[in-house]
Amino acid sequence: MIVESPAKAKKIAGYLGEDYIVMASVGHIRDLASKASDLPEGERKHSWSKLAVNVDDGYRPYYIVHPSKAQTIRDLKAALKDAKELLLATDEDREGEAISWHLLEVLKPKVPVHRMVFNEITPEAIREAVANPRELDMQLVDAQETRRIVDRLYGYPVSEVLWKKIGRDAKSAGRVQSVAVRLVVDRERERIAFSSAGYWDIDAVFSPEDFKARLTSLDGTRVAIGKDFDQNGALKSQDKVTLLDEARASALAAGLKSASFTVRSVEQKPSQRKPSAPFTTSTMQQEASNRLRWGGQRTMRIAQSLYENGYITYMRTDSVSLSSQALNAARVQVTELYGPEYVEATPRTFPNKSKNAQEAHEAIRPAGDAFRTPDELRRELNADEFALYDLVWKRTVASQMVNARVATTTAKIIGTATDGSLAEFTASGTVVVFPGFYAALKDVPEEGSENEHELPALTEGQVIDARGLNAIGHTTSPPARFTEAKLVQRLEELGIGRPSTYASIMTTILDRGYVWKKGSALVPSFIAFAVVRLL
DNA sequence: CAGTGAGCGAGCTTCCGCTTGACTT
């Protein structure tokens, strides 16, 4: 049996016993020749030679076995000599199907060949796959080959156009990298074109319990805030809003100093928060970026180590689905750690956000049919591994827990200034009524929950005091630059790139000098503007 | 006889996606 990953091969070998030899192709075994000199003698002088695609004869590709793969091929051939049967068990996606086809072409097996697939590595799933082989799907193989040829046919010549038209500082172009560069450049253009606007409001602190409120309305008209402005710094809608300048805001704050304030309304609204879907490669990179400040490369290196040592499932995946084994493990763990009332009644499933998803693997989760808690592994893992495992564990377990229930209280407080203006302040507070999946996250609160705070008990008509009234100036900000994680998220939404390439796309555009990093922000170089304009 | 310069040809760069391990900083 041939699979793609050595770690996977080792695991499956343990399940199948001595009748099977399980080996790995270690990814692709052949690729288009990368330069004309790698072609056979006599084929090096055609106009298409350096493309390694014969565009004059049906776009016939010239494949070569990369020298670093020669030993793998020799090992596979040697093992095949004594085999009764060859089972091609590469991943169930476009690239995996192609790897199987290339294996057939190179190994030329004399024994019966079967193609089989499995989405989870359990003894039952493997046995079922062995019992239900299928044929190679040549449509999928053709799709991969076409993808490969078109990327070459555009990537090489368009890169060469850049060399000629812009100079050798323009290094490369391609279906994926050029879109990434363009997103960064477009964003920078928006920032350059942006005009910021200034506006003022008043922050108030009221007693009891010194809670904070903000001026939201003046004489019945809403006070302008950041989102009322467009990118030119002009007020957006025709909606009636009052725009406060510094003088007006300061005068108003002074005029309210001795005012008496009344609670005009108190409204409480219950709401629920849902846990996020289990990790894909892209969301894991985003979370590690947010929580741990790690780049994609580092996250993937740590994940690889966790995977090879059997702590997590495969780390290059576009699926948010958990196997039945994983669902069960998560639910058992939630019951044990938090109690049955924390387990969602039926297993939660999540829609896949990426329309190009091929779902050859399940979501990234703790390995095994019983999860080990981060605390149980604290001694076995180094600091980085522990930090990433902790994120994976929390995300997986939380995904099978019940919603958090929260209550948001909004209070409106009014007062009249010495000049007769009626000022309305708004305060809001949120309390967690039932933590649900928050219980698993603990120190890692979900988005938006960091600032949750409670309001004191207030009743309508209650008269309260202002402890402080401060006019505060604000300016609108341009759209933020992309971070690595945000760019990966956007590329995935657009269906560009694959889990195995997200981290390397970033190094490509950095290495080519198209972008540089300012802290974690991606800033385009001058040459990037030129390249995007030409393309 | 040594050095210079023109002209010519060969070879390199470049794409995306799948794996790990051997390197260097």
Side-chain angles (χ1 to χ4, degrees):
Chain A
M1 179 181 294
I2 303 176
V3 298
E4 292 180 40
S5 152
K8 202 166 159 182
K10 205 172 141 194
K11 200 167 171 192
I12 294 170
Y15 292 149
L16 285 175
E18 292 178 353
D19 290 343
Y20 291 84
I21 299 174
V22 188
M23 298 178 75
S25 73
V26 201
H28 273 295
I29 56 158
R30 297 201 299 184
D31 190 16
L32 292 177
S34 65
K35 49 188 189 291
S37 58
D38 287 340
L39 258 45
E41 197 96 41
E43 299 285 15
R44 295 175 191 169
K45 305 276 185 177
H46 305 291
S47 60
W48 46 260
S49 288
K50 65 180 165 185
L51 296 173
V53 178
N54 187 341
V55 297
D56 297 330
D57 182 16
Y59 295 89
R60 201 150 36 85
Y62 278 87
Y63 292 112
I64 59 162
V65 173
H66 193 268
S68 66
K69 282 295 161 65
Q71 188 57 48
T72 305
I73 300 291
R74 278 196 291 277
D75 293 345
L76 291 172
K77 276 185 171 161
L80 193 55
K81 272 203 177 116
D82 304 317
K84 292 198 190 78
E85 200 180 4
L86 173 60
L87 305 178
L88 298 171
T90 51
D91 295 349
E92 187 180 18
D93 56 23
R94 196 161 43 211
E95 301 294 326
E97 205 73 11
I99 291 172
S100 277
W101 178 78
H102 281 289
L103 284 166
L104 280 185
E105 293 283 303
V106 172
L107 299 177
K108 299 185 175 62
K110 307 264 191 305
V111 294
V113 176
H114 300 292
R115 168 83 170 116
M116 65 186 48
V117 295
F118 31 78
N119 310 78
E120 49 178 318
I121 306 181
T122 60
E124 308 84 63
I126 307 289
R127 257 179 255 124
E128 193 176 312
V130 171
N132 297 291
R134 65 166 170 80
E135 292 305 302
L136 208 61
D137 181 346
M138 284 311 293
Q139 298 215 10
L140 215 47
V141 174
D142 289 345
Q144 191 277 343
E145 186 164 72
T146 306
R147 194 279 304 155
R148 181 68 190 92
I149 290 171
V150 173
D151 278 337
R152 169 62 60 85
L153 255 35
Y154 276 85
Y156 270 24
V158 174
S159 294
E160 288 169 13
V161 168
L162 294 186
W163 304 341
K164 281 200 193 96
K165 296 289 178 189
I166 296 180
R168 289 310 314 263
D169 283 345
K171 306 252 184 263
S172 58
R175 170 176 58 86
V176 172
Q177 60 170 287
S178 296
V179 178
V181 172
R182 176 170 174 178
L183 289 170
V184 174
V185 165
D186 282 355
R187 178 64 55 88
E188 200 68 17
R189 287 195 178 285
E190 283 178 50
R191 290 172 56 85
I192 292 166
F194 184 86
S195 305
S196 72
Y199 62 96
W200 286 71
D201 61 11
I202 297 174
D203 276 1
V205 177
F206 293 105
S207 66
E209 290 177 37
D210 285 353
F211 67 95
K212 284 181 184 159
R214 207 177 53 79
L215 178 72
T216 45
S217 168
L218 195 59
D219 292 325
T221 310
R222 194 164 62 77
V223 172
I225 54 171
K227 65 180 177 199
D228 291 315
F229 296 91
D230 63 19
Q231 68 275 19
N232 300 317
L235 279 171
K236 241 189 281 188
S237 58
Q238 300 308 316
D239 261 19
K240 267 182 73 182
V241 291
T242 300
L243 174 55
L244 296 184
D245 59 14
E246 179 173 10
R248 181 87 193 277
S250 303
L252 194 59
L256 284 164
K257 281 260 152 50
S258 53
S260 101
F261 291 91
T262 310
V263 177
R264 208 192 70 176
S265 64
V266 181
E267 272 180 32
Q268 199 178 65
K269 260 205 261 176
S271 65
Q272 303 209 354
R273 306 271 161 84
K274 281 189 213 166
S276 304
F279 279 144
T280 60
T281 302
S282 145
T283 56
M284 180 178 70
Q285 288 181 14
Q286 286 154 37
E287 192 77 355
S289 167
N290 294 338
R291 302 280 175 214
L292 307 172
R293 308 279 151 203
W294 289 358
Q297 297 270 354
R298 179 172 178 187
T299 303
M300 293 310 284
R301 193 175 63 244
I302 308 297
Q304 177 88 26
S305 153
L306 286 170
Y307 165 68
E308 286 176 3
N309 294 304
Y311 293 110
I312 62 171
T313 54
Y314 197 60
M315 64 283 156
R316 288 183 279 267
T317 176
D318 53 21
S319 171
V320 292
S321 303
L322 295 173
S323 65
S324 51
Q325 176 199 27
L327 287 170
N328 184 55
R331 298 167 68 82
V332 166
Q333 188 131 68
V334 173
T335 312
E336 283 172 359
L337 293 178
Y338 309 106
E341 71 275 26
Y342 280 82
V343 186
E344 181 76 353
T346 53
R348 265 186 209 271
T349 56
F350 297 85
N352 199 312
K353 280 192 196 134
S354 162
K355 58 179 184 288
N356 287 40
Q358 300 183 41
E359 312 208 322
H361 306 91
E362 60 175 312
I364 304 167
R365 61 159 175 102
D369 46 18
F371 297 163
R372 283 172 291 175
T373 63
D375 273 339
E376 287 173 304
L377 295 178
R378 198 181 284 274
R379 284 160 183 282
E380 305 179 28
L381 301 177
N382 68 35
D384 280 1
E385 290 169 340
F386 177 82
L388 188 59
Y389 183 84
D390 190 55
L391 290 184
V392 171
W393 182 87
K394 282 174 174 161
R395 183 83 162 218
T396 307
V397 167
S399 79
Q400 294 308 314
M401 295 173 72
V402 294
N403 290 350
R405 293 200 300 275
V406 299
T408 302
T409 306
T410 305
K412 305 264 190 199
I413 294 134
I414 52 172
T416 306
T418 45
D419 69 352
S421 313
L422 182 68
E424 184 179 84
F425 289 81
T426 304
S428 69
T430 302
V431 289
V432 175
V433 178
F434 180 74
F437 72 96
Y438 282 175
L441 305 183
K442 280 182 218 139
D443 56 314
V444 187
E446 280 286 288
E447 248 175 80
S449 64
E450 280 99 336
N451 299 322
E452 285 180 354
H453 55 273
E454 218 168 328
L455 274 191
L458 297 169
T459 52
E460 271 181 42
Q462 185 178 348
V463 176
I464 58 175
D465 294 330
R467 299 258 182 192
L469 290 160
N470 291 304
I472 306 281
H474 307 271
T475 47
T476 55
S477 330
R481 290 192 174 106
F482 280 104
T483 61
E484 269 192 42
K486 283 287 176 192
L487 186 54
V488 166
Q489 181 181 20
R490 185 72 189 121
L491 288 170
E492 187 185 39
E493 283 167 9
L494 294 168
I496 294 168
R498 299 282 307 138
S500 65
T501 62
Y502 292 139
S504 63
I505 293 166
M506 297 304 128
T507 46
T508 297
I509 63 177
L510 285 164
D511 289 349
R512 300 281 189 267
Y514 290 145
V515 303
W516 54 280
K517 286 179 85 166
K518 186 176 178 179
S520 62
L522 297 173
V523 187
S525 64
F526 179 77
I527 207 81
F529 282 86
V531 166
V532 167
R533 187 160 181 85
L534 181 65
L535 292 178

